[in-house]
Amino acid sequence: QVQLQESGPGVVKTSETLALKCTVSGVSLSTSPYYWSWIRQIPGKGLEWIGYIYYSGSTYYNPALKGRVAMSVDRPLNQFSLDVNSVTAADTAVYYCVTVVAAFGDYFDFWGQGMLVSVAS
Amino acid sequence: QSVLTQPPSASGTPGQRVTISCSGTSSNIGKNTVNWYQQLPGVAPKLVMFVNDNRPSGVPDRFSGSKSGTSASLAITGLQSDDEADYFCAVWDDSLKGWVFGGGTRLTVL
């Protein structure tokens, strides 16, 4: 059974870097047809896709986040990570790590439970 | 303002059929497949429909999906109280070069 678990600080100061990790169990990061994504949700609001990463380390980020995002993989630990730099209050959200299935149309499949990250001044 | 347009709310009584719409453009729904997610309060979204009209295992056949042109719909028949949740549509947008979501529809079972 595929499970994802986010971890990291629940509070980050304005202008600093938000850093989260996602530990994956039940499947290897290298398993086809999966690749890996981060999505966030402002409490009570809609969803925003942040970016995705392949096992190879290739990445693609939401252009709307203007280069503040970086993702990486840690193959031995079966983890992938998210960094968002220069955070503001607008980055306060629940952050989800998610599997993406590459099929005849890609889709988000398994989700972590989500982690609330608050940006404080 | 979400790229995909959903009605903010929908409702029905137990046993009824409800439909939730998702309206997009030629750069997203018009070209790519649509997925639907159910989100119960306080938990992560759950996939209920993928690639327009495919149900994941474990999702009841009361749920169905369709797509036509630049719009998609999720239909739920035989409405039950545990269907009460927020529902989001999602699709890849070729112009924005990223995944986009609808604003969500809160389904209430009266």
Side-chain angles (χ1 to χ4, degrees), chain A residues 13-93:
Chain A
K13 291 186 177 179
T14 300
S15 80
E16 296 190 345
T17 296
L18 179 162
L20 295 176
K21 293 189 185 297
C22 180
T23 301
V24 180
S25 58
V27 69
S28 168
L29 288 183
S30 64
T31 301
S32 178
Y34 294 124
Y35 56 109
W36 311 93
S37 192
W38 289 93
I39 292 168
R40 68 183 182 181
Q41 183 174 33
I42 296 170
K45 301 292 185 181
L47 298 157
E48 181 180 33
W49 171 72
I50 298 171
Y52 61 69
I53 185 166
Y54 288 93
Y55 178 73
S56 63
S58 297
T59 54
Y60 188 77
Y61 305 134
N62 186 337
L65 291 169
K66 296 183 175 65
R68 296 193 298 125
V69 172
M71 296 181 186
S72 60
V73 294
D74 185 326
R75 296 174 187 84
L77 292 180
N78 216 44
Q79 288 179 341
F80 62 104
S81 300
L82 169 69
D83 287 344
V84 182
N85 60 42
S86 305
V87 297
T88 69
D91 295 306
T92 293

Side-chain angles (χ1 to χ4, degrees), chain A residues 41 60 96 104 106-108 112, chain B residues 35 37 39 44 51 97 99:
Chain A
Q41 183 174 33
Y60 188 77
Y96 296 100
F104 48 105
D106 293 7
Y107 56 93
F108 304 115
Chain B
N35 309 307
Y37 301 88
Q39 187 174 32
V51 188
K97 296 180 171 42
W99 287 93

Side-chain angles (χ1 to χ4, degrees), chain A residues 96, chain B residues 38-45 81-86 106-107:
Chain A
Y96 296 100
Chain B
Q38 176 195 64
Q39 187 174 32
L40 298 169
V43 301
S81 58
D82 56 3
D83 297 331
E84 192 162 280
D86 292 331
R106 177 151 296 178
L107 176 61

